Amino acid sequence: MYYNGVYHLFYQYNPKGAVWGNIVWAHSVSRDLINWARLEPAIYPSKVFDKYGTWSGSATILPGKKPKPIILYTGIVDAKNTQVQNYAIPANLSDPLLRKWIKPDNNPLIFADKSINKTQFRDPTTAWLGRDGHWRILVGSVRKHRGKAILYRSKDFMKWTKAQHPLHTSANTGNWECPDFFPVSLEHSNGLDTSFDGDNIKHVLKVSLDLTRFEYYTVGIYDTKKDRYIPDNTSIDGWKGLRLDYGNFYASKTFYDPSKNRRILWGWANESDAFPIDDIKKGWAGIQAIPRKIWLDPNGKQLVQWPVEELKTLRKNKVQLRNQKLNKGEKIEVKGITPAQADVEVTFTFSSLDNVEEFDSSWDDLYAQDVCAIRGSTVQGRLGPFGLLTLSSENLEEYTPVFFRVFKAQDKYKVLMCSDASRSTLKDSKKMYKPSFAGYVDVDLSDKKLSLRSLIDHSVVESFGAGGKACITSRVYPTLAIHDKAHLFAFNNGTETITIETLDAWSMAKSKRY
C-alpha cells in the first residue's frame, strides 16, 4: 500500500529459516519502490484467532479527514487448519513508517458458515466502497472443484455479512487463492482507485489456482446492482485463460498508487532448485518480482504490464546496437555491460510474413509452454525462433533463451513467446525445475516488428513481450554463466533474416537497503 508518502510491502516470511513454516507478515518500506528498509514484522501469530498462522490478505485505506489503513488477513485458529478473517490496525498513526500493528480483541471478523469449506477460505481482498455506502471484499474458496470468490458486505468494516451469491465462480478450477478485483479504464493507462465507480471502465478478476500453481484473469463487467461479475466473451474463464505472467509467478497482488495515479502489480517467484536443503544453503527462498504498472490494453481484451519507471534509476553503462542483420543461425554478442545483472530493450523487424510456418492443429489443445517445448530455440523455423540468449556461458553449455516464433493458423498469425529454462544449467536435471514457459502474444504484426524487454538478475529473467502484452518470469541457476562469466547474445534460428532495429542495454546497479 501507499500511505503518507511511503510504500509498504507486507509479505509471507519465516524469520527462523528459508523453508515454509513460522509464517509472519514481514514489513518493508520504501519511498521509490526500488530501495527498501526492512522493519520488524507487522503481524505474527499471538492470539487465539491466529495462533496457528497469519496468512495472506490485503490492505485498505479508509477515507476521512485523516485516512486510516486497515489490514485484513487470514488467521489459522487450530491444528485442523480452520481459517478465519481478521484485521489489524496501526498502533500509532503518527509514526511515519507504521512500525507496530495491533490486532483488536473483537477478531475474527468473518467465520466460515456451513456452506464453506473452512480449511479453504482465505486471502481477503482490498475492500471497495459501493454506491450504497457498504464496503465489499472477496475471500477465495472452493466447493466441489468450483473456484469461488465469496462476497462479503459491511457498513462499518467490522460487521460483515456474506452475500447470497459469490461475486463469481468457475467450474473445475479448484481452490482460488489470492483473488484480486479492481477497475481499469477504457480511455487511458492511469490507475483507478479500487472503489472507483464511473463510466468507461471494466473490471478485472484475478485468481491464483492452488491446483496448478499459476494464475489467470478475466476482463469483464461488474454489475453493481446484482453484485455479480460477468467476464467478457473474449476472456476464457478457466485454466487456459490469460495469465498475468506465464512463468514462475504466483500469489500476485495489485494496489492503487495515488502519488502517480497508477495501479501497481507485485508477484512472487519461488525457487526452482528442487530441495529445501538448497534454500537452506542459500539462506533465503523466494523473491518479489520487479513491481509493474498495469493497465488495460486499448483493445479492451487484456492487461498490459511494464516495470515501474523508478527502475531506470539503477541503469548504468548503456550500450546500443542499431540495424544489425541476423541471418539464419547467426548470433551477436552484446558487450560492454554486466550480463548477469542487466536491463535489455530490443526491437526486431522482418521484411515479410509470406513464409511463415503453419501452426499444427494438434497443438490447439496444448498449453503454449508445451508448444515451446516442441519448437524450442534450437528447432529451425521460418520466422523465428529469434530473441535473446540470456545468462549464457561463453560456449553455450548454459543459456536461457527468450524468443519469439510466428506461426500461421488459418487466416491469423500466432506469435509464441518463450522463456526456456531447459538448457539454463548443468546441474543435475533430476534436482531442477527447468520448464519451457510460454504464452501467445496478441499483437498486430502489420508493422513487421516485435519488441522484447528482459530484466536479468543472476537467478531471474523477467521478460516483457510486445510492450508488456505477454510477460514471463523464469528462475534459473547457471553454474558457468555467473557473475563476470555470463554473456548475452541476440540470435536468430529461423530461415528468414531478422534485423535488430534497436537494442539498448544497461548494466544495473544494486538497489540499496536503508
Side-chain angles (χ1 to χ4, degrees):
M1 68 177 186
Y2 180 85
Y3 183 73
N4 282 352
V6 178
Y7 295 101
H8 297 259
L9 175 65
F10 304 95
Y11 47 100
Q12 300 279 272
Y13 178 66
N14 179 2
K16 298 182 179 180
V19 293
W20 177 258
N22 309 301
I23 296 299
V24 304
W25 272 52
H27 184 193
S28 294
V29 292
S30 174
R31 295 191 181 274
D32 61 7
L33 288 171
I34 300 299
N35 304 293
W36 292 86
R38 185 173 63 184
L39 305 180
E40 59 267 33
I43 304 172
Y44 48 87
S46 64
K47 301 272 190 171
V48 65
F49 48 78
D50 65 10
K51 180 180 179 181
Y52 288 82
T54 52
W55 288 7
S56 294
S58 303
T60 301
I61 309 295
L62 300 183
K65 289 185 178 180
K66 188 169 185 180
K68 300 178 181 179
I70 184 170
I71 285 172
L72 296 175
Y73 71 96
T74 297
I76 312 301
V77 301
D78 57 31
K80 297 179 180 179
N81 199 27
T82 299
Q83 298 164 23
V84 298
Q85 313 313 318
N86 301 320
Y87 79 105
I89 54 177
N92 181 8
L93 282 174
S94 64
D95 174 8
L97 300 184
L98 303 179
R99 291 175 177 87
K100 295 190 180 299
W101 292 72
I102 59 176
K103 301 176 290 186
D105 290 335
N106 63 327
N107 276 303
L109 295 184
I110 301 174
F111 297 87
D113 66 22
K114 292 182 180 179
S115 69
I116 298 171
N117 181 343
K118 63 184 180 180
T119 67
Q120 293 178 309
F121 176 60
R122 53 185 175 268
D123 310 337
T125 63
T126 295
W128 70 95
L129 191 61
R131 294 180 181 180
D132 58 3
H134 287 73
W135 290 97
R136 289 157 171 81
I137 62 166
L138 304 177
V139 180
S141 190
V142 63
R143 182 175 177 84
K144 296 181 179 179
H145 304 292
R146 176 179 284 272
K148 301 173 69 173
I150 302 174
L151 178 69
Y152 288 85
R153 304 186 188 98
S154 175
K155 195 165 187 177
D156 61 2
F157 224 89
M158 292 293 108
K159 183 179 179 181
W160 293 86
T161 302
K162 184 166 75 77
Q164 183 178 358
H165 302 286
L167 181 85
H168 188 60
T169 72
S170 185
N172 301 315
T173 52
N175 189 39
W176 284 4
E177 295 188 308
C178 301
D180 199 12
F181 187 62
F182 54 91
V184 287
S185 173
L186 286 163
E187 300 178 319
H188 52 70
S189 64
N190 292 337
L192 300 174
D193 182 85
T194 308
S195 295
F196 183 87
D197 182 13
D199 297 327
N200 297 312
I201 67 169
K202 288 193 175 183
H203 273 75
V204 173
L205 177 63
K206 186 279 307 183
V207 295
S208 302
L209 298 181
D210 198 16
L211 283 175
T212 60
R213 307 305 288 178
F214 66 67
E215 310 185 299
Y216 81 92
Y217 73 89
T218 53
V219 178
I221 300 299
Y222 173 33
D223 185 334
T224 56
K225 293 182 179 179
K226 296 181 180 179
D227 262 333
R228 302 295 285 269
Y229 168 75
I230 306 98
D232 292 345
N233 58 13
T234 55
S235 280
I236 297 174
D237 194 7
W239 288 7
K240 290 194 174 181
L242 291 167
R243 301 190 206 178
L244 294 176
D245 191 296
Y246 290 90
N248 198 329
F249 191 90
Y250 194 72
S252 67
K253 183 75 181 77
T254 67
F255 73 98
Y256 175 64
D257 175 11
S259 72
K260 293 194 174 181
N261 199 20
R262 59 187 174 177
R263 181 162 288 273
I264 292 174
L265 168 72
W266 282 96
W268 169 69
N270 66 342
E271 302 304 303
S272 294
D273 38 4
F275 298 106
I277 187 64
D278 297 307
D279 299 334
I280 293 170
K281 288 178 181 178
K282 283 182 290 191
W284 57 277
I287 59 165
Q288 295 292 329
I290 296 296
R292 308 170 181 178
K293 180 181 174 181
I294 186 169
W295 67 97
L296 185 66
D297 186 89
N299 67 20
K301 298 178 182 178
Q302 68 171 100
L303 296 172
V304 181
Q305 303 163 61
W306 201 246
V308 292
E309 61 187 40
E310 290 89 340
L311 186 66
K312 293 180 180 179
T313 62
L314 299 180
R315 288 173 167 177
K316 59 180 184 178
N317 302 336
K318 181 180 180 180
V319 299
Q320 295 179 318
L321 294 177
R322 295 290 184 269
N323 298 315
Q324 296 278 323
K325 289 192 180 300
L326 286 171
N327 295 313
K328 180 182 71 173
E330 289 187 341
K331 65 181 186 295
I332 295 175
E333 184 166 9
V334 181
K335 297 182 178 181
I337 60 168
T338 55
Q341 201 160 22
D343 186 354
V344 189
E345 294 191 50
V346 57
T347 298
F348 298 100
T349 65
F350 39 90
S351 60
S352 174
L353 287 163
D354 295 338
N355 191 27
V356 176
E357 62 188 300
E358 291 292 327
F359 187 81
D360 191 324
S361 60
S362 67
W363 299 341
D364 285 336
D365 294 328
L366 299 179
Y367 287 108
Q369 66 186 51
D370 299 322
V371 179
C372 178
I374 296 169
R375 286 289 189 269
S377 64
T378 61
V379 179
Q380 180 179 298
R382 295 176 185 171
L383 189 49
F386 60 87
L388 299 173
L389 302 177
T390 72
L391 295 174
S392 302
S393 58
E394 184 175 8
N395 298 316
L396 297 187
E397 298 95 339
E398 296 178 332
Y399 60 94
T400 299
V402 185
F403 61 94
F404 298 109
R405 298 185 77 110
V406 181
F407 298 96
K408 185 74 175 292
Q410 297 177 339
D411 59 342
K412 297 179 180 180
Y413 296 105
K414 288 180 78 80
V415 178
L416 181 71
M417 176 181 166
C418 300
S419 182
D420 186 359
S422 63
R423 300 171 186 261
S424 62
T425 181
L426 295 178
K427 288 183 179 179
D428 187 348
S429 295
K430 295 179 181 178
K431 297 180 180 179
M432 304 296 296
Y433 178 53
K434 301 192 294 183
S436 302
F437 288 131
Y440 294 110
V441 191
D442 185 1
V443 60
D444 180 5
L445 294 179
S446 59
D447 61 358
K448 300 180 180 63
K449 295 183 180 182
L450 279 169
S451 67
L452 176 65
R453 183 179 182 184
S454 287
L455 307 177
I456 305 161
D457 191 14
H458 299 290
S459 71
V460 192
V461 181
E462 194 172 348
S463 300
F464 303 80
K469 287 193 170 191
C471 307
I472 306 177
T473 299
S474 289
R475 300 300 310 280
V476 294
Y477 307 91
T479 60
L480 301 177
I482 60 175
H483 306 304
D484 61 351
K485 301 297 183 184
H487 297 261
L488 174 67
F489 301 91
F491 80 99
N492 175 29
N493 280 334
T495 58
E496 295 293 307
T497 297
I498 299 296
T499 299
I500 301 172
E501 182 178 78
T502 62
L503 185 151
D504 298 319
W506 297 263
S507 298
M508 297 297 280
K510 291 183 178 180
S511 59
K512 299 176 182 177
R513 293 182 181 179
Y514 297 125

